[in-house]
Amino acid sequence: MNALTPREAYRLWAPVYAAETVISFLDEELAAAMSPPLASKRLLDAGCGTGRRLAHGIATLSVGIDVSFEMLAAGNAQAVAAADVRALPFAANEFDLIWCRLVLGHLANLVPAYRELARVCRPGGHLFVTDFHVEAVAAGHKRNFRDADGVVREVEHYVHDNPAHIAVAAISGLSIVDQRDAIIGPSAEPFYERAGRSAAYNGDKGLAVVAAFLFRLAN
């Protein structure tokens, strides 16, 4: 299977992206457990996809960017723009909390993205990052999806381990506050059952598939 570039992959994924996957579900569990409260915060979702995470309506301001026009159009969300995480269309120190979830693994070089995310974060603000876990890659799992025609497609992905994320973030003035991994366990089992892959669940049980990091920008 030839891996598609993120732009091409998400163009094809957009029509069916609303269907949650085990990875997006576990990513959401980590965000709920690790993100600071949204109330009275200015939130940026960098790599927002269809913008579905912006619908919580708790933050004082919630905006999103994504590189895929098709994903943004599929969600019909408000306060979103097409942009690259390495060139954000915002002034410095704009946001109290930034999410960048399951995005950075599509980039070969983490440095430009972390520098740009730190630039738009206010001093003392937080950045929450998730990535496809190196253990999942080592076990043979790939970033893939099933398109509207039922064809399984692979998305281009670069492996960045936990120390790499923490080290590159530190260069941009971001210090690690919390780091956790999501593993395949009981909350993920229904996804395998619905797909008729119960045997695969038994093989994957205990495998770390999403790595999450909460960073704080120095004052």
Side-chain angles (χ1 to χ4, degrees):
M1 186 187 305
N2 293 325
L4 301 173
T5 66
R7 283 182 183 272
E8 178 62 11
Y10 285 97
R11 182 185 70 80
L12 295 172
W13 199 351
V16 293
Y17 191 77
E20 191 165 45
T21 68
V22 65
I23 298 300
S24 66
F25 173 78
L26 293 174
D27 172 85
E28 191 65 34
E29 283 194 331
L30 287 167
M34 295 173 64
S35 284
L38 293 177
S40 302
K41 297 290 195 303
R42 295 170 62 88
L43 169 69
L44 169 64
D45 190 351
C48 67
T50 60
R52 63 187 179 189
R53 296 187 295 247
L54 299 173
H56 299 298
I58 300 171
T60 299
L61 174 71
S62 298
V63 299
I65 65 97
D66 199 273
V67 75
S68 171
F69 293 95
E70 291 82 7
M71 289 287 281
L72 295 173
N76 197 31
Q78 303 299 309
V80 295
D84 193 302
V85 70
R86 295 164 293 188
L88 296 169
F90 305 108
N93 308 329
E94 279 284 303
F95 300 99
D96 302 294
L97 175 61
I98 302 170
W99 288 337
C100 190
R101 296 161 60 179
L102 299 172
V103 173
L104 299 185
H106 296 315
L107 306 178
N109 185 359
L110 293 174
V111 174
Y114 269 109
R115 284 181 174 165
E116 188 67 348
L117 292 165
R119 182 186 68 80
V120 301
C121 186
R122 71 163 180 81
H126 290 87
L127 168 65
F128 177 70
V129 170
T130 59
D131 196 5
F132 197 54
H133 204 287
V134 292
E135 289 187 13
V137 177
H141 291 267
K142 299 181 183 297
R143 293 294 307 273
N144 55 33
F145 66 97
R146 192 176 298 275
D147 68 17
D149 294 323
V151 178
V152 176
R153 308 278 191 173
E154 182 183 344
V155 190
E156 187 176 60
H157 177 76
Y158 299 90
V159 180
H160 305 296
D161 62 17
N162 292 7
H165 277 282
I166 294 169
V168 174
I171 295 171
S172 299
L174 294 155
S175 57
I176 188 72
V177 175
D178 194 4
Q179 194 282 311
R180 306 185 197 182
D181 298 331
I183 65 169
I184 299 295
S187 68
E189 188 172 8
F191 290 89
Y192 286 82
E193 292 175 344
R194 286 195 292 269
R197 301 181 66 243
S198 294
Y201 168 75
N202 292 328
D204 288 345
K205 191 174 181 180
L207 180 68
V209 291
V210 181
F213 311 84
L214 181 65
F215 298 104
R216 182 179 183 273
L217 186 66
N219 287 317

